[in-house]
Amino acid sequence: MSVALVRRPTEEAAIAAVSREARPLPPIHVILADLLAANRAGDRHGVNLCAHRAVRAAAPEVGE
């Protein structure tokens, strides 16, 4: 017996709406503070996310 994937039109609409809007990034000093906290905690995934956010905040043309 296979399970059918349920299509959710509201989910597709939400994803489409989010992709149309540019989300503002927090100030760079907040991102760097979070980067340091993630590094101290040994959270490699958090460090990676914060590092990418810092680059996007410092040079917006990189994220395009």
Side-chain angles (χ1 to χ4, degrees):
M1 180 190 305
S2 65
V3 177
L5 181 64
V6 177
R7 303 291 294 170
R8 294 181 177 88
T10 54
E11 181 180 5
E12 290 177 8
I15 291 172
V18 168
S19 65
R20 284 192 301 266
E21 296 177 12
R23 294 186 339 212
L25 289 170
I28 191 73
H29 69 279
V30 173
I31 297 171
L32 293 178
D34 291 341
L35 175 67
L36 291 174
N39 193 25
R40 277 190 224 113
D43 180 8
R44 289 177 30 198
H45 184 66
V47 168
N48 191 15
L49 288 175
C50 290
H52 282 91
R53 280 191 127 187
V55 169
R56 288 189 66 203
E61 67 276 0
V62 173
E64 295 177 353

